[in-house]
Amino acid sequence: MSAPTTSATNVFGFGSFTTMLQKVDSVTTSSLPVPPPKPLLIATPCEAGEFPLIIFLHGYLQYNTFYSQLLQHVASHGFIVIAPQQLYTVAGADATDEIKSTAAITSWLSKEVLQGLLPPYVQPNLSKLGLAGHSRGGKVAFALALEKAMTTLKFSALIGVDPVDGMDKGKQTPPPVLTYVPYSFNLDMAVMVIGSGLGEVKRNPLFPPCAPKGVNHEDFFKECRKPACYFVAKDYGHLDMLDDDTKGIRGRSSYCLCKNGKAREPMRRFVGGVVVAFVEAYLNGDHTDLIAIRDGYETAPVELKTVEFLV
């Protein structure tokens, strides 16, 4: 990728589209004719148009609503983002059910029922489909992309936001994703891995790090093939892309389980911005912003420890 010839947009700020959030009940409680297999949080532009679609999978012990500010950031740049609520109870070690349920959501999307849940004249473009996930959700996203469950739609972009494959090397949660063989991921799509510099640091001696070395972003990127890109935010933690105010017991725990940065807003803006730049590149074919970030023409709101591209 060469230097941009057109001016970059400010992907680290909100875009030009007005957004709305909508909750959709699952098959067990919904009155919809064809309800989704899991409850959804949908962030969408309000203005008329046809927009690419991104599935975003939440992290371990988190609610999809904890990502509402991040999802709206992405949606404001002209993307529809749907975030399933995978589990309300404490998840076990095995992520197989989450992988299968995400595959089921893609099958539900293929029935073209999402249109009825969106604002008038807002249309999803299912030929431009991205898959993203944070923490355990990042592992699930990679697992689905690696066809550990079959999907009815084709993904064109994969994003791991501080993905984690278990507690430590040799202690991966099933099904394991990492093979520890460089460039072993056979993925027919572009990949971006975002890491947190503090994710591998213990908050205190009582808690393990939230993104331990051996099963974290660094290991995921080592197995990626081109095209792929990798960003690590130096002084921010594993949960610093969540909303500023996460309520309830789980929300309060998000402030004390992981080593955190000074504030969430810069990391959330960074994650939102690089996600927008990446999907603009690989869903819409416009690499301007991604190249501008890589080459320093567009200043990130966080200090970057690592910027690496495989092209």
Side-chain angles (χ1 to χ4, degrees), residues 43-296:
T44 177
C46 295
E47 289 84 353
E50 185 179 65
F51 302 101
L53 181 67
I54 302 166
I55 298 175
F56 183 90
L57 308 175
H58 64 77
Y60 184 61
L61 296 180
Q62 306 304 314
Y63 290 123
N64 54 7
T65 53
F66 290 175
Y67 301 84
S68 62
Q69 290 174 285
L70 174 62
L71 303 183
Q72 288 182 94
H73 181 138
V74 176
S76 74
H77 287 270
F79 298 91
I80 299 167
V81 190
I82 67 169
Q85 181 61 52
Q86 294 282 17
L87 297 166
Y88 285 109
T89 57
V90 175
D94 197 321
T96 300
D97 285 347
E98 291 146 85
I99 298 166
K100 289 180 178 178
S101 70
T102 307
I105 288 164
T106 67
S107 296
W108 175 79
L109 287 170
S110 70
K111 297 175 183 177
E112 300 184 356
V113 291
L114 180 61
Q115 178 75 57
L117 301 172
L118 301 174
Y121 309 111
V122 171
Q123 298 181 350
N125 186 341
L126 297 182
S127 68
K128 295 182 177 182
L129 184 61
L131 178 62
H134 169 232
S135 187
R136 179 174 168 126
K139 168 195 173 83
V140 171
F142 269 84
L144 188 62
L146 290 165
E147 299 184 346
K148 294 186 182 292
M150 299 308 295
T151 63
T152 53
L153 296 173
K154 177 180 172 56
F155 294 102
S156 299
L158 173 64
I159 302 167
V161 181
D162 225 16
V164 180
D165 198 25
M167 297 298 295
D168 201 348
K169 186 174 181 179
K171 296 181 180 179
Q172 295 164 261
T173 52
V177 171
L178 296 170
T179 65
Y180 302 100
V181 177
Y183 312 116
S184 60
F185 287 159
N186 186 16
L187 297 165
D188 186 23
M189 66 191 78
V191 186
M192 178 170 68
V193 178
I194 303 168
S196 64
L198 300 180
E200 61 192 40
V201 179
K202 290 184 178 182
R203 182 177 176 87
N204 60 55
L206 298 177
F207 295 114
C210 288
K213 288 183 73 67
V215 287
N216 70 9
H217 53 88
E218 182 179 3
D219 305 282
F220 275 83
F221 184 68
K222 285 179 179 177
E223 300 195 28
C224 292
R225 301 176 184 177
K226 61 182 181 182
C229 56
Y230 179 38
F231 299 93
V232 181
K234 180 182 177 184
D235 296 317
Y236 290 86
H238 185 62
L239 299 176
D240 281 340
M241 70 293 299
L242 299 184
D243 288 356
D244 288 324
D245 185 15
T246 48
K247 301 183 184 300
I249 295 174
R250 294 194 192 185
R252 290 192 293 272
S253 70
S254 71
Y255 294 96
C256 58
L257 292 177
C258 302
K259 181 73 172 176
N260 300 320
K262 292 182 179 180
R264 289 179 170 178
E265 188 262 352
M267 181 62 168
R268 188 174 59 247
R269 284 178 53 216
F270 171 68
V271 172
V274 291
V275 167
V276 168
F278 181 75
V279 291
E280 278 287 0
Y282 290 103
L283 296 184
N284 287 336
D286 183 355
H287 292 257
T288 303
D289 291 301
L290 191 61
I291 296 169
I293 296 169
R294 181 197 67 181
D295 295 344

